[in-house]
Amino acid sequence: KGFINDFKEHVRSQRSALHTDLAFEKRWTFNSVMNFPEVLKTPNILHDVDKDIFIDKPAIIVSAGPSLNEELENLRYIKENGLAYIFAVGSANKTLIKNNIYPDAVCTYDPQGRNVKVYEEIISQGIDSIPMIFGSSVGFETVEKYPGPKLHMITSQDTVAAYILQEAMQNKLEIVNDAPSIAVVTFQMLAKLHANPIIFVGQNLAYKGDYFYSKGIEYDTRKNTIDEKEKQNALIVKDVNGKEIRTNETFNSMRINLESYIAIYKDIEVINTTSGGAHIHGSKYIPLSEVIKDRLTEPIVNNEWYKIATNQYNLAQVSAKLEELDHSFKDYQKLLKSLVSLLRDIDEKSKVVNPTELERYFQDYDHEFKAFSNNLFFKTFIRPIVRVAMDITNKKVQAVRF
């Protein structure tokens, strides 16, 4: 039974990863290219900000779960007294802004074009005092339209910035791994900054009653309440008090992923204050009011934290890498033309030549394709945007070969 459950979970995880890759493989690379000028202009949160600002300082990740509404006054008190850094992830900024609570930063990484709608209140009201920390493969529309100060972090889906900047950072470029949720990405970021403890607010990772988001958050593509189909397909998990609650596959995947990172950063205390939220293994459930009373007792926030950071990328090395890519692009075009020509030759010869005589052509093709696959431009730009087709083709090739 344990094996079957693990096997099902693995298949579900693989299916989800395949769907994600297929949906976003082109957007990740396209966004990375579009965002690169902004990456060169803005501070890297993991390299350019003074880490003493966050080391052993409490940081709160505020998510848009239904329990967020219960903590607004507590968050207002924390903000007004500078008791912890508040990072709003995803749609949580909408609830906070609506209640006149400005977080210390908003964090975003979703590659979709519609991600910009998450910040429509900040954009429409022209709020320019809240810094945004963006993953470098985030939807470029969000970066273009956001009115406030910006900082960035390089994500694992950004092959472009990773290649160009790695040498400029003496091969010490910090990268945050892509994840099913911006809360998980932000947790990685804060763990790398050595914030401690990290406190979750509104991180339900489950339905609360019939609610999906905190009150007041709704999109054309996602209503705030769950429908009958979602109720029927719900998974059952334990909440912070050991009671059974309903969740879905996406929330459950987020929870499992978050738990894996909590296990990696064992030295960081993780507190979950989400009343009625799913239990997150590796975290302690403590109501936020108690955390304020016992742990958040003195001001620690430096409101200038993002203003004293400057970008330190070596632009001369960046320029050299861009030139290298330009040369490899020219080689790529020649290799592609040669490959297509060779394939056409094989197709023609296969109609008239003895099959054993085709072996030489296949060997030529293997040689050419190896050079093509190792081409720098192909590896940096093309391979990531056709990853699903490449993986399927590679599996077919193995089957044909044997």
Side-chain angles (χ1 to χ4, degrees):
K1 187 177 178 183
F3 170 79
I4 293 295
N5 286 338
D6 285 351
F7 187 74
K8 277 182 182 175
E9 189 53 50
H10 188 70
V11 170
R12 188 183 291 127
S13 173
Q14 288 293 305
R15 187 194 298 134
S16 173
L18 179 66
H19 287 176
T20 302
D21 284 350
L22 193 58
F24 301 135
E25 58 184 2
K26 291 177 178 61
R27 279 292 296 200
W28 279 321
T29 301
F30 184 59
N31 289 334
S32 300
V33 172
M34 295 292 284
N35 291 334
F36 191 63
E38 201 66 31
V39 164
L40 289 182
K41 285 190 288 187
T42 55
N44 183 320
I45 180 74
L46 297 175
H47 289 281
D48 301 324
V49 172
D50 181 0
K51 284 191 179 174
D52 286 341
I53 288 171
F54 295 109
I55 290 176
D56 292 328
K57 303 292 193 308
I60 299 174
I61 298 175
V62 181
S63 298
S67 297
L68 172 56
N69 292 94
E70 300 166 24
E71 307 295 357
L72 292 172
E73 290 314 308
N74 284 328
L75 287 170
R76 190 188 311 281
Y77 178 79
I78 291 168
K79 175 64 183 176
E80 287 175 354
N81 293 281
L83 304 179
Y85 288 96
I86 297 174
F87 294 85
V89 299
S91 301
N93 79 89
K94 290 176 175 287
T95 300
L96 295 180
I97 298 295
K98 194 174 180 182
N99 288 276
N100 207 29
I101 303 166
Y102 285 16
D104 294 291
V106 295
C107 301
T108 186
Y109 87 127
D110 189 336
Q112 299 176 89
R114 67 170 185 246
N115 182 58
V116 72
K117 288 184 177 293
V118 173
Y119 301 99
E120 59 189 348
E121 287 82 3
I122 292 176
I123 293 166
S124 63
Q125 294 174 41
I127 299 169
D128 60 4
S129 58
I130 304 171
M132 177 177 78
I133 304 165
F134 66 92
S136 54
S137 54
V138 73
F140 74 93
E141 299 89 345
T142 307
V143 176
E144 279 186 353
K145 293 181 180 176
Y146 193 79
K150 285 170 268 198
L151 301 93
H152 69 272
M153 49 187 164
I154 307 298
T155 66
S156 58
Q157 297 295 358
D158 184 353
T159 53
V160 180
Y163 169 72
I164 296 171
L165 298 175
Q166 195 62 260
E167 210 165 288
M169 297 298 293
Q170 287 86 45
N171 293 318
K172 292 178 181 174
L173 184 67
E174 288 269 21
I175 290 173
V176 290
N177 292 322
D178 192 48
S181 157
I182 181 58
V184 181
V185 172
T186 304
F187 177 81
Q188 290 178 65
M189 179 194 83
L190 290 173
K192 286 174 182 285
L193 290 169
H194 304 288
N196 197 10
I198 296 175
I199 301 161
F200 288 112
V201 174
Q203 189 65 41
N204 286 76
L205 297 172
Y207 307 134
K208 186 157 189 176
D210 289 340
Y211 284 99
F212 187 91
Y213 285 128
S214 63
K215 285 176 189 171
I217 298 175
E218 201 159 295
Y219 296 99
D220 297 337
T221 53
R222 171 72 253 181
K223 299 218 175 292
N224 196 355
T225 51
I226 58 172
D227 56 31
E228 283 306 313
K229 188 178 178 184
E230 286 174 313
K231 288 177 186 176
Q232 289 167 13
N233 294 334
L235 306 174
I236 302 298
V237 295
K238 297 290 184 186
D239 76 357
V240 291
N241 294 311
K243 296 177 183 174
E244 290 189 345
I245 50 167
R246 294 175 300 185
T247 188
N248 61 27
E249 277 194 25
T250 304
F251 282 149
N252 206 41
S253 167
M254 291 176 185
R255 178 184 58 79
I256 292 166
N257 196 247
L258 181 56
E259 288 174 346
S260 71
Y261 281 104
I262 291 172
I264 290 168
Y265 295 102
K266 294 185 179 74
D267 295 338
I268 292 171
E269 182 184 6
V270 181
I271 299 171
N272 183 12
T273 69
T274 311
S275 164
H279 169 66
I280 302 169
H281 187 70
S283 71
K284 288 185 287 190
Y285 171 62
I286 308 173
L288 187 55
S289 56
E290 285 183 32
V291 175
I292 293 171
K293 182 182 164 192
D294 300 333
R295 306 291 298 276
L296 308 181
T297 55
E298 57 185 52
I300 56 92
V301 173
N302 178 350
N303 291 317
E304 306 287 303
W305 70 269
Y306 61 92
K307 295 178 183 175
I308 49 182
T310 53
N311 186 300
Q312 296 178 46
Y313 295 133
N314 184 324
L315 295 184
Q317 286 181 323
V318 167
S319 186
K321 284 290 178 188
L322 289 171
E323 206 169 307
E324 208 174 288
L325 280 170
D326 194 42
H327 287 307
S328 73
F329 173 60
K330 287 165 186 165
D331 291 339
Y332 165 81
Q333 290 176 301
K334 291 174 191 168
L335 287 163
L336 183 59
K337 194 175 179 183
S338 175
L339 261 182
V340 171
S341 175
L342 189 53
L343 278 169
R344 284 182 177 145
D345 280 350
I346 292 171
D347 188 40
E348 287 300 314
K349 295 281 189 294
S350 67
K351 294 167 187 169
V352 292
V353 173
N354 186 307
T356 54
E357 291 178 37
L358 279 174
E359 187 66 30
R360 182 174 61 81
Y361 291 98
F362 288 131
Q363 287 174 0
D364 289 345
Y365 178 80
D366 285 345
H367 177 74
E368 292 271 335
F369 189 75
K370 189 174 182 181
F372 178 77
S373 300
N374 288 329
N375 175 269
L376 184 57
F377 181 83
F378 175 78
K379 288 196 292 187
T380 307
F381 293 95
I382 306 301
R383 174 72 173 88
I385 68 172
V386 292
R387 65 185 80 184
V388 173
M390 282 285 288
D391 290 344
I392 291 169
T393 303
N394 285 338
K395 284 171 188 168
K396 284 183 179 176
V397 165
Q398 295 306 314
V400 168
R401 198 171 166 187
F402 292 109

